[in-house]
Amino acid sequence: MEILVKEMFPKVKEFLKEQKYQVTKELRSVLPFILPFLQTACVFFVLWIPPENPGVVAAIVKCLPILCLISYVFYHGIIESKSCLYNKCICLGLCFSVLGDALLIWQADKKIFILGMLMFAIGHVIYMVAFGKGPFGLKEFILCVIGTTVMVGNIWGCLSTTMKVAIFIYGVLLGVNSWRALARFSLRNTDVPWRKIYAASGMILFVFSDVVLAYNKFCSPVPGGRAIVMSTYYAAQCCIALSSVNHHSISKPPKLPAKKLN
């Protein structure tokens, strides 16, 4: 695993160094489209409704950032752009994720927690369809198998029999999705594959968020656990949503003609 990680990070570092201008250009093109998401995410963190008092208001505040991403993908990825299976799957996956978000507000109830996990699991299956079957990516496969084994193994002893089954299935889905997203990502292209970078980054953040959530819930409290989980989760879903749209091809409002001076 160490060899695979050592091979990956130098490439990423070199890539970012060489493509500094393109990174800046991409960020400037993306930010205007995700402002509603950023604003509603800030509202969530400012209000910071205690999880001990679950309710409809807490569910709405938590779901608003993902609802913004759904509207963003639906309009720019399906209606405005030429719709494709990938964009539809990302939009549908986000819809199931927002259902999971709403249910996990009442995660103290074991049945509701498992139902919320089911919604996220369906979302991951849909993301899996979006990411596709090829290329295979042997190195990425090995890395994700090791990562999934370590992830599930760390919390296995803390789980009940029912939760072991649920966590195992969910962990496999996370591992497969991470593998497919990473396998699509290549630094060998002459053009920067931004959409693939977003997808791969999104799945890495998603895995990290869920690992912290699971350890915090089933094993022992993580300092700042909820803040870590929600910040990385929102970032993950944002990256996955951004992978569905080519922002440089989106039509922008026409500029008004300048008035001629007499």
Side-chain angles (χ1 to χ4, degrees), residues 33-41 62-76 94 98 241:
F33 296 101
I34 61 171
L35 274 179
F37 161 78
L38 294 174
Q39 290 167 341
T40 50
K62 184 183 179 185
C63 293
L64 273 176
I66 308 302
L67 290 172
C68 289
L69 293 178
I70 291 171
S71 61
Y72 157 80
V73 175
F74 182 74
Y75 182 75
H76 294 296
L94 286 168
V98 84

Side-chain angles (χ1 to χ4, degrees), residues 86 131 181 184 194-203 239-240 243:
Y86 184 92
F131 296 149
R184 296 173 71 246
W194 285 113
R195 294 173 67 179
K196 295 179 181 180
I197 291 173
Y198 288 133
S201 302
M203 281 314 305
C239 286
I240 292 171
S243 74

Side-chain angles (χ1 to χ4, degrees), residues 34 36-41 44 59-74 90-102 120 127 206 229-241:
I34 61 171
F37 161 78
L38 294 174
Q39 290 167 341
T40 50
F44 171 82
I60 292 172
V61 172
K62 184 183 179 185
C63 293
L64 273 176
I66 308 302
L67 290 172
C68 289
L69 293 178
I70 291 171
S71 61
Y72 157 80
V73 175
F74 182 74
I90 296 301
C91 190
L92 189 57
L94 286 168
C95 290
F96 277 98
S97 294
V98 84
L99 291 175
D101 278 329
F120 276 109
Y127 285 159
F206 217 128
V229 169
M230 292 310 300
S231 58
T232 51
Y233 167 71
Y234 282 147
Q237 293 285 37
C238 181
C239 286
I240 292 171

Side-chain angles (χ1 to χ4, degrees), residues 245-259:
V245 178
N246 180 3
H247 303 91
H248 301 287
S249 66
I250 294 176
S251 60
K252 297 179 180 178
K255 293 182 180 179
L256 295 174
K259 292 182 179 181

